[in-house]
Amino acid sequence: EVLEAMAEQIIPSDDTPGAREARVVRFMDNALATFAAAELPAWRTGFGEVQAIVQHRRPGLASFAQMEKEEQADLLLALEHARSGFFQLVIIATLQGMFSNPGYGGNHDKLGWQLLGFQDRFVWSAPFGDYDRE
């Protein structure tokens, strides 16, 4: 739930679907269980650091996910200004989960691709664009 709250702050659901609808956390879970497994210790350390900040700011609060949305945004902004390596991992994984091939677990119903206007034909024929018209 912490990761989902962080991803939702990065790509919120507003006029368009966000990280929650695209199931970005499912992508992250799959990634950390397979091709990004070597990064798992950094993620665990990062979660501990975020939890320590939450406890410092709001003693007795169980997790980042239980903070108000504005408090979450302020905490993530502080991590960004501190150039937190963990926050960089979360941003990158959120973007990957939002816009990668759905076969990797994220981008549910190709929501990220729809936001970009990407046509997933996977087969292209000439002409490819103005440069190839003649």
Side-chain angles (χ1 to χ4, degrees):
E1 71 182 2
V2 171
L3 218 78
E4 189 162 58
M6 293 177 89
E8 194 165 317
Q9 283 288 330
I10 296 166
I11 304 177
S13 304
D14 46 26
D15 295 340
T16 60
R20 183 180 304 265
E21 292 82 9
R23 300 183 185 169
V24 166
V25 172
R26 184 168 179 237
F27 166 83
M28 293 179 193
D29 188 44
N30 287 340
L32 291 170
T34 57
F35 65 87
E39 295 176 6
L40 194 54
W43 284 79
R44 288 184 177 141
T45 300
F47 278 124
E49 291 170 359
V50 169
Q51 184 61 26
I53 295 169
V54 169
Q55 289 298 309
H56 176 73
R57 290 184 176 202
R58 296 277 309 273
L61 199 63
S63 77
F64 176 86
Q66 294 177 337
M67 297 176 85
E68 298 294 325
K69 299 287 184 193
E70 295 79 22
E71 292 176 303
Q72 291 176 352
D74 288 342
L75 193 152
L76 294 182
L77 189 59
L79 290 176
E80 181 180 21
H81 285 134
R83 298 182 184 254
S84 164
F86 172 66
F87 187 52
Q88 293 299 316
L89 287 174
V90 174
I91 290 171
I92 291 166
T94 299
L95 293 173
Q96 289 172 334
M98 187 73 185
F99 301 112
S100 67
N101 189 315
Y104 295 111
N107 195 7
H108 179 69
D109 286 339
K110 302 176 184 174
L111 293 174
W113 288 354
Q114 290 171 25
L115 290 174
L116 297 174
F118 177 71
Q119 300 173 12
D120 63 328
R121 295 187 295 179
F122 291 110
V123 176
W124 303 91
S125 58
F128 299 111
D130 291 337
Y131 62 88
D132 200 24
R133 190 173 308 256
E134 295 175 19

